[in-house]
């Protein structure tokens, strides 16, 4: 049987008919919204519904995508469903939803699509609540839920790192509140996205940046919105970054009824951004009041101590004046009684001195005469010794001449000229010195075959020992004077 032939339209129509048979009526589809754009000129909205799962065989992540078309005619019906959730759900990227619609193939692109006609907000809210509860359970089990609460808060938190969307109403309200206080806050602002699929990573990165900076507190703020708008602050990455921060983290996210995982993990959570600013201002004012109160108590204490010291000084001054008067009076009395004794002692000392002078005057001529006689005797002895000096000088000259003659007679050169010779052992091979060894004074110093060096008046001779005999009765020679060769 030949295969049937279809036109493109016929093929798509047959495929749609088959889909209607397989999926009769409308179906519910769960997934995460991606690539949601603005409504077209006709009021239609297009986006993708994405689901990621692990391959049961390889374990690798697989992503499935379905194109979704929300036509203008179904928009009112979908908005009615969203209003039932009281504005807690918005269709934005990253939000997990359960949609109702018809399955078909769009002829213009031959693409598989879901034509959306409804949404189940309770599914989204329930999914968010379940994920939030599961994350809180993991953080509690790991001991991270109260980790940041243990970070010490500065009593004077003036250095603030603010993590917020730049130009947002939340940022403006927070900064305006601090400006109105007229306190010296120093705010370092870090601009991040606070909504969407990229928001959790940016907030976590901002917390890591703040961890490396000197700051008293890190503040995370965001204005109110739908529950899905605040989903970034239920993200695990943000919660773990807050728990790991070395600085206390304060949050002011959403409205008073909103509580996120970030609020649960933070050091302290406040209902609004303005409330965070107010808490910081109150802390600084409280510390300032404590300082002023302490300064007042210190001033009063110092004043009291000064008054006590002044009174004690005045009392001491009076007692010193009285004691000084008594001491002066006593000293005057002692001086008055001592003056007669001093005068009498001075007169006795003067009379004693006069007697000593008189005695010394009597002994002085005798002492001078004795000293003169002693000096004359010493002078005569010196004159006698001076008269004998020339005779002693002549005697010493004669002795010196005799010693000089003996020295000349003992000169080796003179002895050599008279026919004597000096015999030395020849130097060993390689000697670079005088060419001769030690003097030979005894026949026992040399053996047959030894080389000798004989020094005479005009040179030296080489010789070899052929016979070595010692005399039975050698002459007794005086010991030689030590030399460098014969020590």
């Amino acid at each position: 049987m030949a295969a049937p032939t279809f036109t493109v339209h016929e093929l798509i129509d047959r495929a749609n008919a088959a889909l209607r048979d397989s999926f009769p009526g409308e179906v519910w589809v769960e997934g995460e919204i991606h690539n949601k754009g603005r409504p077209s000129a006709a009021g239609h909205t297009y986006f993708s519904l994405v689901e990621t799962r692990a391959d049961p065989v390889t374990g690798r992540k697989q992503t499935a995508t379905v194109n979704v078309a929300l036509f203008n005619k179904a928009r009112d019906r979908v908005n009615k469903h969203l209003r039932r959730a009281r504005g807690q759900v918005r269709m934005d990227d990253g939000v997990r939803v359960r949609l109702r619609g018809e399955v078909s193939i769009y002829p213009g692109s031959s693409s598989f699509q879901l034509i959306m006609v409804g949404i189940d907000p309770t599914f989204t809210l329930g999914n968010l609540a379940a994920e939030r509860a599961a994350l809180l359970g993991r953080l509690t089990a790991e001991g991270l839920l109260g980790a940041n609460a243990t970070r010490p808060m500065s009593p004077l938190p003036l250095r603030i790192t603010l993590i917020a969307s730049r130009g947002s109403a939340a940022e403006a309200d927070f900064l305006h509140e601090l400006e109105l206080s007229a306190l010296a806050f120093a705010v370092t602002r870090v601009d991040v996205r606070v909504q969407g699929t990229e928001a959790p990573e940016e907030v976590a990165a901002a917390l890591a940046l703040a961890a490396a900076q000197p700051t008293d507190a890190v503040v995370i703020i965001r204005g109110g919105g739908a529950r899905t708008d605040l989903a970034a602050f239920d993200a695990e990455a943000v919660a773990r970054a807050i728990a790991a921060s070395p600085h206390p983290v304060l949050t002011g996210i959403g409205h008073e009824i909103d509580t996120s995982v970030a609020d649960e993990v933070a050091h302290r959570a406040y209902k609004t951004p303005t409330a965070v600013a107010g808490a910081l201002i109150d802390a600084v004012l409280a510390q300032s009041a404590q300082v002023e109160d302490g300064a007042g108590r210190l001033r009063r204490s110092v004043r009291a101590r000064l008054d006590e010291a002044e009174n004690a000084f005045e009392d001491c001054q009076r007692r010193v004046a009285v004691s000084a008067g008594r001491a002066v009076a006593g000293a005057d009395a002692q001086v008055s009684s001592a003056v007669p004794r001093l005068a009498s002692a001075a007169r006795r000392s003067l009379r004693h001195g006069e007697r000593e002078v008189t005695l010394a005057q009597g002994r002085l001529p005798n002492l001078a005469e004795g000293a003169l006689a002693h000096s004359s005797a010493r002078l005569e002895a010196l004159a006698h010794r001076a008269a004998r000096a020339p005779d002693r000088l002549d005697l010493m000259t004669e002795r010196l001449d005799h010693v000089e003659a003996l020295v000349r007679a003992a000169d080796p050169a003179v002895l050599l000229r008279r026919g004597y010779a000096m015999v030395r052992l020849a130097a060993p091979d390689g000697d670079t010195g005088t060419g001769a060894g030690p003097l030979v004074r005894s026949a026992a110093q040399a053996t047959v075959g030894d080389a000798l060096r004989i020094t005479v008046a005009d040179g030296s001779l080489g010789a070899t020992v052929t016979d070595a005999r010692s005399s039975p009765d050698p002459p007794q020679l005086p010991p030689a004077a030590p030399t460098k060769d014969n020590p």
Side-chain angles (χ1 to χ4, degrees):
M1 180 178 180
T5 301
F6 301 98
T7 65
V8 174
H9 280 287
E10 290 173 344
L11 181 63
I12 293 174
D13 290 341
R14 289 287 296 271
N16 278 324
L19 286 172
R20 283 193 295 272
D21 292 339
S22 299
F23 302 98
E26 299 172 348
V27 297
W28 289 98
V29 182
E30 300 175 7
E32 190 173 288
I33 296 175
H34 279 216
N35 302 319
K36 180 175 178 291
R38 294 179 177 275
S40 66
H44 308 320
T45 301
Y46 303 95
F47 56 91
S48 300
L49 206 60
V50 176
E51 181 182 15
T52 301
R53 68 179 181 181
D55 185 279
V57 179
T58 64
R60 296 179 180 177
K61 289 186 177 180
Q62 293 181 334
T63 301
T65 303
V66 175
N67 294 328
V68 180
L70 174 59
F71 295 132
N72 189 28
K73 62 181 180 180
R75 180 179 298 277
D76 290 341
R77 180 181 176 184
V78 171
N79 287 337
K80 183 178 179 181
H81 293 166
L82 293 175
R83 283 194 294 271
R84 291 175 184 171
R86 300 186 179 184
Q88 293 300 303
V89 178
R90 287 183 184 172
M91 294 175 55
D92 287 322
D93 282 2
V95 178
R96 188 168 181 80
V97 293
R98 180 169 178 259
L99 305 181
R100 185 169 181 171
E102 297 178 355
V103 179
S104 68
I105 296 176
Y106 176 54
S109 60
S110 299
S111 60
F112 182 80
Q113 67 177 359
L114 177 70
I115 300 175
M116 178 181 173
V117 296
I119 186 172
D120 180 10
T122 58
F123 169 84
T124 301
L125 294 175
N127 185 69
L128 290 175
E131 291 181 351
R132 179 176 179 275
L135 176 57
L136 288 174
R138 291 195 299 273
L139 296 174
T140 301
E142 295 177 31
L144 298 179
L145 196 61
N148 193 257
T150 63
R151 307 291 186 262
M153 186 72 179
S154 171
L156 198 66
L158 290 172
R159 297 177 300 173
I160 306 300
T161 298
L162 176 63
I163 299 176
S165 176
R166 188 176 291 273
S168 64
E171 182 190 57
D173 291 345
F174 179 85
L175 295 176
H176 181 65
E177 192 75 10
L178 295 187
E179 291 173 0
L180 290 178
S181 70
L183 298 173
F185 284 100
V187 181
T188 300
R189 293 187 287 175
V190 183
D191 180 28
V192 297
R193 299 181 187 182
V194 292
Q195 183 176 340
T197 56
E198 298 178 359
E201 292 183 1
E202 291 193 12
V203 174
L207 284 163
L209 177 64
Q213 305 298 322
T215 188
D216 297 324
V218 178
V219 175
I220 304 176
I221 57 173
R222 189 207 187 281
R227 192 71 191 89
T228 53
D229 294 343
L230 307 178
F233 299 99
D234 287 330
E236 186 169 357
V238 174
R240 291 187 178 277
I242 293 175
S245 174
H247 308 300
V249 178
L250 312 180
T251 58
I253 301 169
H255 296 302
E256 294 185 358
I257 61 173
D258 299 318
T259 302
S260 64
V261 175
D263 294 328
E264 300 285 352
V265 183
H267 185 277
R268 182 74 184 273
Y270 297 90
K271 296 299 183 181
T272 62
T274 304
V276 182
L280 292 171
I281 293 170
D282 291 343
V284 174
L285 291 177
Q287 184 64 22
S288 177
Q290 290 182 8
V291 172
E292 291 181 359
D293 182 62
R297 292 198 304 271
L298 181 61
R299 285 193 297 270
R300 291 190 294 272
S301 175
V302 170
R303 183 68 266 172
R305 294 293 298 274
L306 287 176
D307 291 342
E308 292 177 3
E310 185 176 357
N311 294 334
F313 178 77
E314 291 177 354
D315 181 63
C316 181
Q317 189 177 27
R318 287 192 297 269
R319 286 188 278 108
V320 167
V322 173
S323 298
R326 293 174 180 172
V328 169
D332 287 342
Q334 290 179 359
V335 169
S336 299
S337 63
V339 166
R341 294 196 301 273
L342 289 175
S344 175
R347 286 193 295 270
R348 288 195 301 270
S349 178
L350 180 59
R351 287 194 296 269
H352 179 71
E354 289 175 349
R355 287 195 297 271
E356 290 293 330
V357 169
T358 302
L359 292 174
Q361 287 176 347
R363 292 195 301 267
L364 185 58
N366 296 332
L367 292 174
E369 184 178 352
L372 183 59
H374 178 71
S375 298
S376 298
R378 292 197 61 186
L379 184 60
E380 289 177 1
L382 290 174
H384 180 68
R385 292 177 63 184
R388 296 171 54 193
D391 296 337
R392 291 181 60 83
L393 182 60
D394 292 341
L395 179 60
M396 295 302 293
T397 301
E398 290 177 2
R399 291 181 179 177
L400 183 61
D401 291 341
H402 178 68
V403 171
E404 184 178 3
L406 292 176
V407 170
R408 283 196 301 269
D411 187 352
V414 174
L415 295 175
L416 291 176
R417 285 196 296 271
R418 291 169 59 187
Y420 290 94
M422 287 190 295
V423 180
R424 295 175 180 266
L425 291 174
D429 292 342
D431 192 336
T432 58
T434 61
L439 282 170
V440 178
R441 295 180 164 282
S442 169
Q445 288 182 250
T447 60
V448 174
D450 285 349
L452 302 176
R453 175 64 58 182
I454 302 172
T455 303
V456 295
D458 58 351
S460 63
L461 303 173
T464 302
V465 178
T466 60
D467 184 19
R469 288 177 292 177
S470 298
S471 174
D473 188 17
Q476 297 296 322
L477 298 177
T483 65
K484 66 177 182 179
D485 296 326
N486 186 26

